[in-house]
Amino acid sequence: MEVALAQCQALDSQSSGTNHSVKFSKEKFWLEPPSETQRKQLEEELKLSGTNLKSHAWYHGHIPWEVSESLVLNHGDFLIRDSQSSQGDFVLTSHWEQKTLHFLIRKSVVQSSETYTRVRYSLEGEAFDSLPALVHFYVGSRAVLTRWSGAQIHRPVNRTLPLSYLETAFCTAVSTASVAPSPALSRRSDTTQSTQPSPNSTLHRQYNNISQPHLNQDSPSSETDGSCYTELYPGPQSYVERLRVEEVSVGVDPLRVEDGNVHFSPVVETVSSFKPSRYQSPLMPKENKPLEVGILRRVKELLAEIDPRTAAKHITKADCMVARILEVTPEVQRMMGVHSGMELLTLPHGQQLRLDLLERFQTMAIMLAVDVLGCTGTTEERAGLLHKIIQIAAELKSTMGNMFGFAAVMRALELPQVSRLEQTWMALRQRHTEGAILYEKTLRPFMKSLNDGRESCPLSNTTFPHVLPLLSLLEKSVAVGEGTEPWETVEVGVDVVMFHLGAARTIAQLGGIYRSNAESKLQGFQEQAEVLELFLTDFQMRLLWGSRGATENQALRYSKFDQVLTALSNKLEPPVRSQ
């Protein structure tokens, strides 16, 4: 009989003999951001071979079921953990229709030959050779986990602490002797072994006002508290609370000492990191006009000389520098108050970084569009340029794992002034069929799934996650495109918003992993100074708006250039006038 553990609220644990309840409060469970050592340990785990379960961030090891329920908060969230009641087995914990569900994953041994056996994993129907294969199937197909539950899994909840730490912290010892076999839909208790954490431990424990479970004499621990980091202290003061206190403190020295540790008040940036008026480049004079022919010609020559992968590496390097994923000095970290720009952009004082990233996104898309629309040669030449830009998008997505750069390039291709060029797209389909298929069948659907929250790039391959929806949500005053955003539709609006806000929480914790991935993918990369300049936002702003226009009001700049793009597009392929 299938053992499926399904409950929507925490039930009292029960040990053999006398019943003693332990009530678990999710509000008492909290995690501080991982230390730098723990970040590095997590990075090493996630770099392991895909055949190693530790390399998958959705695997949380031996965490208690109470903790797993505090992690899967949104509709479709899921994680995999070790079973507490059946050693060696795994449990899929998910959130579906406002309920938390626990499914025991069944293991079966298949005799493939006289000397070879293999383990298969299943929930109810099809069996799989590995847990990753099972997860990929149910996420990708949206198949129900079991007929009785009707539940699906959409988004993994990634761990932010290394398994080596979690195993030590939770130190859960399963005592099957104290648990009688239970029917489906019931939860079994575990006898736990406690470990006293240090004052600076990432996980904190609460002892007061908690009824402790009875430990039988066979328990591996003779201690009487019995808790295993499932009842935890709220922190003394959160980072955001500390910021609020410091905001109202007038004349406080930014260098502060608390409990013997030195703390720096973060700097609230109000000026863009882009300085086009001061920018100097060998590719353009000290002062230039918008879209100067000589500069445009050199840009086209450089783009023609490099292959798509090289272009993708230069874009990724520039993206990660602006986003403060790469080459973040200790001084910049002190200024930000956090380790990575990925964490900063989720915080109130990260607004300027969010605005800079939106500026970079728009400017990159417009420059690539100009490259296409400014190609006054034959239709076939424009089709070849389209094909190269599609290849760059594919390299950003698959090779570099740069979802930000990928979204910007896709935005250029989807601009109405580019997408309306019917003759150019027809030539692409005829002369570069594989590129047209790649764009229509793979890249566009993937882009839509990213925006809808239905798909994501594997963490082990990601250098820059898909933050554009989050930026758009937090900075609604800055438009990043035309048309309805995916969260503005009645059918899926709330779910999409909740997904992207939930993803922000994970992204903020994984800056070290993105940095490590970027450093790995750019290892040995010899950048070309002139090529890198093409993808610097300062250079692009000067190219598009000139030395004077680059400093104008942003909305005015975009509005004017939209008219320029429309004029260029209509010149290439005049609109058909209705009779």
Side-chain angles (χ1 to χ4, degrees), residues 36-202:
E36 190 62 28
T37 299
Q38 290 162 349
R39 290 175 191 267
K40 291 179 180 178
Q41 290 173 343
L42 178 60
E43 291 171 20
E44 292 303 314
E45 289 180 354
L46 297 176
K47 287 180 183 177
L48 295 171
S49 166
T51 59
N52 190 322
L53 198 55
K54 291 182 178 181
S55 71
H56 298 277
W58 40 254
Y59 174 59
H60 290 246
H62 211 111
I63 62 171
W65 59 261
E66 300 98 328
V67 175
S68 72
E69 290 194 345
S70 73
L71 297 175
V72 289
L73 302 176
N74 302 315
H75 185 67
D77 283 358
F78 76 93
L79 58 82
I80 302 287
R81 60 181 175 85
D82 294 338
S83 171
Q84 292 176 274
S85 56
S86 181
Q87 279 189 302
D89 287 332
F90 301 96
V91 173
L92 189 157
T93 298
S94 68
H95 192 87
W96 188 257
E97 293 182 346
Q98 300 182 345
K99 294 180 181 178
T100 304
L101 307 172
H102 302 266
F103 301 89
L104 186 68
I105 298 174
R106 295 184 295 182
K107 290 198 300 186
S108 57
V109 178
V110 179
Q111 190 81 29
S112 299
S113 64
E114 292 183 1
T115 58
Y116 178 68
T117 60
R118 57 194 175 113
V119 177
R120 304 271 283 171
Y121 300 87
S122 64
L123 289 171
E124 185 177 69
E126 186 175 351
F128 302 88
D129 290 331
S130 66
L131 282 178
L134 181 147
V135 169
H136 292 163
F137 170 78
Y138 283 104
V139 172
S141 67
R142 298 295 173 98
V144 297
L145 302 177
T146 61
R147 289 188 298 274
W148 65 265
S149 69
Q152 301 174 10
I153 55 174
H154 296 170
R155 295 172 296 274
V157 174
N158 295 324
R159 68 180 187 273
T160 57
L161 287 164
L163 289 173
S164 56
Y165 177 81
L166 294 175
E167 290 167 0
T168 302
F170 288 111
C171 64
T172 307
V174 178
S175 177
T176 55
S178 65
V179 183
S182 61
L185 306 183
S186 69
R187 202 177 253 133
R188 305 176 183 181
S189 66
D190 296 321
T191 302
T192 58
Q193 180 179 5
S194 64
T195 298
Q196 180 67 34
S198 65
N200 294 324
S201 173
T202 303

Side-chain angles (χ1 to χ4, degrees), residues 363-424:
T363 306
M364 178 73 76
I366 293 173
M367 193 204 76
L368 291 173
V370 165
D371 198 38
V372 174
L373 298 173
C375 181
T376 55
T378 64
T379 303
E380 288 72 21
E381 288 175 343
R382 279 196 302 279
L385 187 53
L386 268 185
H387 182 228
K388 188 162 192 175
I389 293 175
I390 289 170
Q391 289 177 306
I392 292 173
E395 290 289 344
L396 287 166
K397 168 186 174 290
S398 302
T399 305
M400 301 308 298
N402 178 1
M403 297 300 102
F404 181 83
F406 169 69
V409 176
M410 290 298 292
R411 174 64 186 151
L413 295 169
E414 293 171 347
L415 282 171
Q417 294 92 339
V418 175
S419 61
R420 66 169 290 276
L421 299 177
E422 295 183 6
Q423 296 173 23
T424 305

